[in-house]
Amino acid sequence: MKQIRVLMGMPITVEVLDSAVKTSDIDAIYKYFDAIDHQFSVYKDDSEISRINLGLIKPKDYSADMKEIFKLCAETKMLSRGYFNINRKGKLDPSGLVKGWAIFKASQILDAK
């Protein structure tokens, strides 16, 4: 089963070769991607990352996903010797890592089904 939808400002294709997959399984993945977009989009004023950039959320109150992303971003910055950096114009923008991380997490959701 294969579906293409536009989310996160780009077309996202979900294709599952397992014949046991249901439309509801694919819908669940797109619902997950939509939630990630609402959490990490720097273009949505009410996203968690936007509220962090505005100073409305303190580090102790970050979601578990946000803490994981920041940890992965710090590791990637170190491994790339600073070439990967989520600091952009005085704001945090982890979108360069979030999309790949979301794909990995979505594959785990599908594997569990």
Side-chain angles (χ1 to χ4, degrees):
M1 180 178 299
K2 178 178 177 179
Q3 288 187 17
I4 301 171
R5 300 183 193 175
V6 176
L7 285 170
M8 301 181 194
M10 63 184 191
I12 296 177
T13 303
V14 175
E15 183 173 13
V16 181
L17 301 178
D18 187 335
S19 61
V21 72
K22 301 176 204 146
T23 301
S24 61
D25 297 332
I26 302 294
D27 290 342
I29 295 304
Y30 282 111
K31 185 175 179 179
Y32 170 75
F33 284 145
D34 190 51
I36 293 301
D37 186 36
H38 280 88
Q39 183 177 14
F40 289 97
S41 176
V42 294
Y43 302 105
K44 297 181 187 322
D45 293 336
D46 62 341
S47 72
E48 183 178 1
I49 192 68
S50 290
R51 291 183 291 137
I52 287 169
N53 280 326
L54 291 171
L56 300 175
I57 303 175
K58 302 299 177 210
K60 67 178 182 65
D61 298 319
Y62 294 172
S63 68
D65 284 346
M66 191 64 66
K67 289 176 183 177
E68 181 179 352
I69 286 295
F70 283 167
K71 180 179 180 247
L72 290 169
C73 286
E75 290 172 5
T76 305
K77 182 177 182 179
M78 183 191 70
L79 291 170
S80 69
R81 297 185 183 138
Y83 285 103
F84 179 84
N85 189 342
I86 66 170
N87 292 300
R88 187 175 144 220
K89 298 179 183 179
K91 304 285 183 186
L92 299 173
D93 182 359
S95 60
L97 190 132
V98 167
K99 291 174 182 170
W101 171 83
I103 291 166
F104 175 74
K105 294 288 189 174
S107 71
Q108 291 179 322
I109 292 168
L110 284 170
D111 279 345
K113 291 181 177 283

